[in-house]
Amino acid sequence: MANDLSSFEKEVKKNYDKFDMDFPRGSIKILDNSIVGILIKNAAKSRSVDYKSEGSVYTATFSTYTKLDSDGMVGVYSDVPDDENIREITFIVTGFHAKWDTEVTFTKEYMPVTPDRELKHLINFQRAILLTGIIK
């Protein structure tokens, strides 16, 4: 895990070092390709999972996912996916704001959020996912 976190922190510096961390953002690049896999595996064990980092606790509750079906149409599903062969996966997350939930959607490359959230929280949420890893 330390190696994953080290490469994650390098990606943070590379991609966001010159940005204001308190500035609200509507999306952020996923900085480690294992994040979506961790979320899917944990959601299969528990629909709601706590992810902790730097004094913050983010509770991610699985909502839906989409994938390209065999008929060429995009299907929306409310059960947890069996694998990572998806287009996007959505979670309702608490911890970004004291009073409101945040809808977070993960694609292969980006993490869009509604409503916009501070960059420091978007980075720290990804860090928390890596630190927590796959729950037992």
Side-chain angles (χ1 to χ4, degrees), residues 30-50:
I30 295 175
L31 299 171
D32 187 286
N33 58 9
S34 65
I35 287 175
V36 173
I38 291 169
L39 287 165
I40 290 172
K41 288 175 182 151
N42 288 346
K45 294 174 184 175
S46 176
R47 281 185 91 85
S48 291
V49 177
D50 289 343

Side-chain angles (χ1 to χ4, degrees), residues 80-121:
V80 178
D82 295 332
D83 57 38
E84 294 180 40
N85 188 22
I86 60 172
R87 291 175 61 105
E88 58 186 31
I89 186 166
T90 302
F91 292 83
I92 305 302
V93 181
T94 61
F96 287 102
H97 189 280
K99 296 181 182 179
W100 296 288
D101 296 344
T102 303
E103 182 178 281
V104 182
T105 301
F106 293 86
T107 65
K108 294 193 186 307
E109 297 178 26
Y110 292 95
M111 183 178 108
V113 295
T114 306
D116 291 2
R117 292 293 179 224
E118 293 175 354
L119 181 58
K120 65 183 174 186
H121 284 295

